[in-house]
Structures are given as structure tokens and as C-alpha cells.
Amino acid sequence: MSLSRAPRAALLTGLVAVGALTLSACGGGGGAKSGGGGDTNFVTDTGGISTAAKGKRTAPNKLSGETLEGKPLDVADLKGKVVVMNVWGSWCPPCRAEAPHFAKVAEETKAKGVEFVGINTRDANKGPAIAFETDYKISYPSLYDPMGKLIVNGFPKGSLNPQSIPSTIVLDREGKIAARSLKALDDEELHKIIDPLIAEK
């Protein structure tokens, strides 16, 4: 029995989208970058970290699914907290470099109302990704997104969206996209992004 045209077309669309993301996979990157055409309402500093002013932020689309541990997770349920979302893969050297910093800052900021959520992508099976979390003592959950559907569909066009692996997106307490990094981060850079959002009233 052959596949119908509709599922094949959907699969092809997904593969093309993931392929586009693959082009910038595991890229570092400093300098100013645009996140889309026209008036984007966000500023990028020379360190590759973009921020949106409080009144200019947009909400992400639906970001939910199953974690690497097989539990359901919906990022919308974390509204009221600052949410740090890190796009990563176990195969990605910059992701391995930043992982200890993410584990450390997640523990340091939890009591201040910050939740970390990973988005694991392009790991064909969960084994290597779960081993990665164990090796780097990652205590927070990661949504399992092997085909990159959450990455492609979870963020509005023209918003501060992930464009490389690793990428980090930070949501404010209202659940809106406040900051983005398109490079691996250390603990100091993470605090630079997170601490002003913790302080926001």
C-alpha cells in the first residue's frame, strides 16, 4: 500500500523546513542579525543576543508535546514564570559546550520564578538525548522534536525565533518572547538575558 499524496507532501514540507534550519545548525555567530524583514521591533547587540521591549513582544504559537521522558508538556502552562527555552541536539558540539552553564543557571534561578525547557531536535531516537541530559546533569525537561516541527511552527514569522542550533528563546512572565540568542551561551550571558526579566514588574 503506497502513501497518499497528502502525507507525502506534508513530510516533504517538514523535511524542507528542517533542511533550512540544518543550514545554520551548530553555527556560532556574533554581530547584528535581522530576524525578519520590515519593522521587527527588536534590537540585536553585537553579541548576537536580541531583545524586544516590553510593549513590543509577541506570544509564541503552541509549544507543546511529549518530553524525552514521555511526559506531556505545554509551555503555556508556565505563564507567570520567566521561561528559558533552549534548542539543542546531542550531536551538536556547541550544545555540549553550553550545557553545563544551562544546568547551573537553571538551578540558580529556579527559586526566582524561572523555568528552563529544552527543545531537543534532530536526534532520531531518544537514547543519545537522554544520555546527554544525564552526562550534563540537566534536571529540566526537554520537548522531543526530532523533525523540528515545534521550531518551525512554534514561533510567529518576524518574531525572535530560533534560526540555528543551538538557539535560546526567553519568554517573559506574560508568556511573550522577550529575548533570543543564536549562539552557545555561558552562565554570565544567560544571567545577562534572564536577570532583567526576573526584575520586571
Side-chain angles (χ1 to χ4, degrees):
M1 187 169 134
S2 64
L3 289 171
S4 72
R5 286 186 180 188
R8 274 189 286 173
L11 179 62
L12 184 59
T13 302
L15 290 173
V16 168
V18 171
L21 188 64
T22 302
L23 292 176
S24 56
C26 277
K33 288 190 176 185
S34 170
D39 182 14
T40 54
N41 292 321
F42 55 82
V43 200
T44 305
D45 72 15
T46 53
I49 296 169
S50 305
T51 58
K54 194 169 184 182
K56 306 284 187 180
R57 298 171 187 165
T58 56
N61 299 327
K62 190 165 181 63
L63 290 165
S64 65
E66 190 176 279
T67 67
L68 286 169
E69 290 72 31
K71 296 178 179 175
L73 174 64
D74 188 341
V75 172
D77 293 340
L78 301 175
K79 194 171 180 181
K81 296 179 181 288
V82 174
V83 180
V84 180
M85 291 182 295
N86 178 240
V87 179
W88 64 279
S90 67
W91 44 268
C92 167
C95 301
R96 291 195 287 271
E98 71 177 2
H101 301 290
F102 276 75
K104 176 176 181 273
V105 177
E107 292 301 317
E108 290 173 350
T109 57
K110 192 166 185 66
K112 297 176 182 177
V114 179
E115 290 290 337
F116 277 61
V117 175
I119 301 177
N120 170 255
T121 192
R122 290 180 56 212
D123 274 307
N125 61 68
K126 294 180 178 182
I130 291 169
F132 178 102
E133 289 187 324
T134 302
D135 290 346
Y136 292 104
K137 299 178 174 59
I138 304 293
S139 60
Y140 52 85
S142 282
L143 289 163
Y144 184 50
D145 187 30
M147 297 296 291
K149 290 179 183 176
L150 289 175
I151 298 165
V152 173
N153 301 319
F155 301 89
K157 186 178 178 184
S159 70
L160 291 172
N161 50 32
Q163 296 175 1
S164 62
I165 303 166
S167 287
T168 300
I169 309 290
V170 186
L171 307 182
D172 64 17
R173 294 182 196 277
E174 295 176 4
K176 295 185 176 178
I177 304 167
R180 174 192 65 192
S181 169
L182 298 177
K183 63 172 191 169
L185 297 169
D186 61 24
D187 54 343
E188 199 172 298
E189 290 168 315
L190 272 169
H191 276 293
K192 180 182 172 185
I193 298 171
I194 298 167
D195 291 352
L197 296 171
I198 292 172
E200 275 185 1
K201 301 298 179 195

